[in-house]
Amino acid sequence: MSYPPAPWDLHGQLWLSLFRVREGDHPDREPGVYGAALVSYEQPSPLTYSELLVARPVKRSGSRRANIPGLSRAPRARVEITDIWVDSVDSLEGGRALWAIPKHLCEFERTTTGGRVQRTSWSTTLDGVPIASARFTDISRAAPRTPFKGATCQQRAAGGGPGREVVAVLKGSARAFPAHGTWDFDASGPLAWLAGKRPLASFRMTDFQLLFGA
């Protein structure tokens, strides 16, 4: 096993924007609000890597609650990760094996400048072909540290039968503050269904500490 056992004690930075997908926009995507995030996992995390993910909020299924390990203590705030890329094979294998998170590999570039006001640019590519790029401006380092908690809820295929829900609880703290964010999703890439959409809101989480999968 090349990845660390659960839970993962993660540290780093996160940039997030919210997008609305309306009814009829994309037949293969549920309408609603989706979050697109870029994450830098840094020391002293057990794995250090970059990540691009898209997730949407999901409701608890009360009828299946008793059959889901850990769900009785899982927070009500839960998301399903629909699309995700990392630049670490260990993270890819661990995410899939431990929590059914459908990670893939891609390449990342990031630059950050400034002091109190920070400006960050990200770009992500798959075999040289763009997936998405983003630019953020924020003053989150001036924000107080606040706690947060939630959970991911994924479906693990079970031999052609109905999938099994895998819930991973997360909790931590960060300096979080609204940010100005702009995105460019490649019209021929895997996130083309977000191309042309403008963020509803953007946020930055600075120096987060996150226990994932406890």
Side-chain angles (χ1 to χ4, degrees), residues 35-75:
L38 287 153
V39 193
S40 172
Y41 297 101
E42 303 166 355
Q43 294 290 348
S45 302
L47 298 173
T48 57
Y49 59 98
S50 296
E51 182 175 83
L52 165 64
L53 68 90
V54 177
R56 65 185 187 96
V58 293
K59 296 180 180 179
R60 269 186 161 184
S61 176
S63 61
R64 300 177 64 185
R65 185 175 302 174
N67 299 323
I68 305 172
L71 186 56
S72 60
R73 58 188 173 86

Side-chain angles (χ1 to χ4, degrees), residues 90-172:
D90 291 346
S91 173
L92 180 153
E93 293 179 349
R96 291 186 175 189
L98 295 171
W99 304 296
I101 298 176
K103 296 184 178 183
H104 299 275
L105 293 175
C106 79
E107 300 82 42
F108 294 82
E109 289 188 8
R110 175 171 64 96
T111 60
T112 298
T113 60
R116 184 173 182 273
V117 178
Q118 292 203 331
R119 295 175 175 83
T120 305
S121 297
W122 282 88
S123 63
T124 59
T125 55
L126 180 61
D127 297 328
V129 178
I131 300 175
S133 60
R135 294 163 297 283
F136 289 86
T137 302
D138 72 272
I139 56 169
S140 60
R141 288 190 179 279
R145 180 172 290 276
T146 55
F148 61 87
K149 62 181 178 180
T152 62
C153 182
Q154 306 296 128
Q155 296 288 328
R156 190 186 297 279
R164 179 175 66 88
E165 287 187 348
V166 180
V167 174
V169 176
L170 60 94
K171 59 182 178 179

Side-chain angles (χ1 to χ4, degrees), residues 14-53:
L14 177 145
W15 296 258
L16 167 70
S17 293
L18 303 178
F19 297 87
R20 183 178 299 281
V21 174
R22 300 186 184 279
E23 188 77 41
D25 277 1
H26 302 280
D28 60 335
R29 297 283 174 168
E30 292 286 336
V33 174
Y34 289 75
L38 287 153
V39 193
S40 172
Y41 297 101
E42 303 166 355
Q43 294 290 348
S45 302
L47 298 173
T48 57
Y49 59 98
S50 296
E51 182 175 83
L52 165 64
L53 68 90

